[in-house]
Amino acid sequence: MLKIIETPRDAMQGIKEFIPTKKKIAYINALLKVGFDTIDFGSFVSPKAIPQLRDTAQVVEGLDLSDTKTKLLAIIPNLKGAQIAESFDQINYLGYPFSISNTFLQLNINSDIGKSFDETEKILNLSHKSGKELVVYVSMAFGNPYGDLWSPEIVYEWTRRLHQIGVKIIALSDTTGVGNPDTIGDSFRAVINEFPEIEFGAHLHTHPENCTENIKAAFDSGCRRFDTVINGLGGCPMSKQKMIGNLKTRNLLQFLKEHNIDHGLNLRAFHNARALEAFTFPSGLSIPKS
Ligand code: HMG
Ligand code: MG
């Protein structure tokens, strides 16, 4: 079964105007009724880095998980974040933003590949003790906008190491939207059959115009886990690149419909959540078309 990870965290993190905690809670509660596999709902990061998500601890306490199978994922940039997230029983997954780009790691979490790999291992050990699962994002998986070395072989090599320490879920990520069907297909093909124990996902920051071909490249290479955002907003504000948005949920659903693949979502609840967007996100944001 295909898994959809709805990702309001990525949509909200770059918005300067603070979205009130109550609005975040109401919106995420609406998303919890839709039937997504997981909601990447917030992050435990430095409030200086991402002021928008400084209320994640209050948000999680306001969520209604009484009638949902959807699991919660929080992004944590270090062991400290993992220790905070660990104290919330409501959270199932810790998401760690690893990367094969030293430049991005420096910008995003003031780290480098070696340090970040060691931190991954520490977080993985903690997650085992606390009964949570770790999702490792491998940013710059489909190309590199900073001029750092990139190739599917590098993606393979770091996946091999992550596999060796016991990572079970990896989301290959296109933080700045430089991927194309060739590079997306090449990177997935480099790892997906080599590590059958790992669940691979696609975290695509992609323009609406080329999202279908990028989804297809990931899907045809065997990926069955996709991160989406209903209004397609978002990106990493630390990347020093233009935020081009996230894969729109509707565009993924369209692709699935055309390929007769069941998504299992409650479409009425989906439309209710969409209707709440205008009350949640500040007005004047440029929402990607289509
Ligand atoms: P640093 O300045 O090197 O860290 O930042 P530090 O250890 O010196 O701490 C600085 C301050 O942050 C201290 O507070 C710490 O206590 C605090 P002060 O003493 O100055 O008051 N701090 C924290 N507070 C809350 N939670 C924490 C935490 N850690 C330290 N976990 C640091 C390093 C990693 C903290 C910082 O760079 C950071 O928070 N970065 C996160 C950036 C971020 O959230 N980026 C977006 C999410 S990742 C993403 O979008 C990519 C993804 O979508 C995939 C893709 O698209 O490719 C997942
Ligand atoms: Mg992202």
Side-chain angles (χ1 to χ4, degrees):
M1 175 79 165
L2 189 131
K3 291 186 181 174
I4 305 181
I5 318 302
E6 180 64 21
T7 311
R9 178 272 313 167
D10 207 315
M12 291 178 179
Q13 66 187 10
I15 296 172
K16 289 212 169 60
E17 189 180 323
F18 185 71
I19 302 171
T21 308
K22 274 188 181 165
K23 286 192 176 185
K24 287 180 182 135
I25 291 171
Y27 181 59
I28 297 166
N29 275 335
L31 293 176
L32 281 165
K33 295 190 165 65
V34 179
F36 294 111
D37 181 84
T38 303
I39 296 181
D40 171 351
F41 80 101
S43 63
F44 296 100
V45 305
S46 161
K48 286 181 194 143
I50 306 283
Q52 179 61 258
L53 298 183
R54 61 183 184 261
D55 59 348
T56 292
Q58 288 89 61
V59 170
V60 70
E61 294 296 6
L63 297 180
D64 178 7
L65 297 162
S66 58
D67 189 26
T68 183
K69 289 193 176 131
T70 300
K71 288 151 276 176
L72 293 181
L73 181 150
I75 293 290
I76 46 98
N78 52 17
L79 190 61
K80 176 174 174 149
Q83 284 159 344
I84 300 170
E86 184 202 21
S87 64
F88 293 97
D89 290 341
Q90 299 94 321
I91 296 173
N92 310 84
Y93 296 106
L94 308 180
Y96 181 67
F98 185 67
S99 178
I100 56 168
S101 162
N102 268 320
T103 308
F104 180 63
L105 284 171
Q106 181 61 50
L107 291 169
N108 194 32
I109 55 171
N110 192 19
S111 188
D112 60 36
I113 301 188
K115 280 198 267 176
S116 196
F117 184 76
D118 293 346
E119 197 77 355
T120 307
E121 196 162 14
K122 289 182 198 151
I123 293 168
L124 186 66
N125 290 338
L126 180 74
S127 71
H128 286 156
K129 282 189 201 130
S130 58
K132 307 209 186 293
E133 250 192 284
L134 179 64
V135 178
V136 175
Y137 294 80
V138 175
S139 297
M140 280 62 205
F142 311 124
N144 189 296
Y146 308 106
D148 300 327
L149 277 182
W150 171 84
S151 68
E153 289 74 28
I154 298 176
V155 175
Y156 169 85
E157 180 52 22
W158 284 102
T159 301
R160 188 187 66 72
R161 294 191 200 187
L162 292 167
H163 173 253
Q164 209 167 39
I165 60 172
V167 171
K168 295 276 190 311
I169 308 176
I170 294 180
L172 299 186
S173 303
D174 193 8
T175 324
T176 59
V178 296
N180 60 50
D182 288 341
T183 60
I184 292 170
D186 287 348
S187 286
F188 273 109
R189 280 190 297 273
V191 294
I192 215 154
N193 293 325
E194 301 295 326
F195 305 103
E197 308 84 0
I198 296 182
E199 177 176 305
F200 286 98
H203 180 92
L204 299 174
H205 289 276
T206 174
H207 292 281
E209 308 90 68
N210 52 12
C211 71
T212 307
E213 61 196 43
N214 288 346
I215 297 169
K216 187 171 183 326
F219 188 86
D220 287 351
S221 312
C223 174
R224 294 294 181 271
R225 174 186 170 106
F226 287 85
D227 291 5
T228 61
V229 165
I230 287 191
N231 59 13
L233 282 173
C236 180
M238 319 292 280
S239 72
K240 293 246 167 75
Q241 305 277 315
K242 187 169 183 274
M243 287 196 279
I244 65 158
N246 273 280
L247 171 60
K248 272 193 169 190
T249 316
R250 194 152 40 97
N251 289 338
L252 178 66
L253 298 189
Q254 183 63 31
F255 175 88
L256 297 177
K257 191 174 171 193
E258 282 162 16
H259 292 77
N260 285 321
I261 299 159
D262 187 23
H263 52 66
L265 300 187
N266 176 337
L267 289 178
R268 182 187 287 258
F270 178 73
H271 291 300
N272 288 344
R274 281 193 67 192
L276 263 187
E277 272 176 6
F279 300 102
T280 310
F281 290 85
S283 56
L285 297 171
S286 88
I287 308 276
K289 294 204 173 52
S290 120

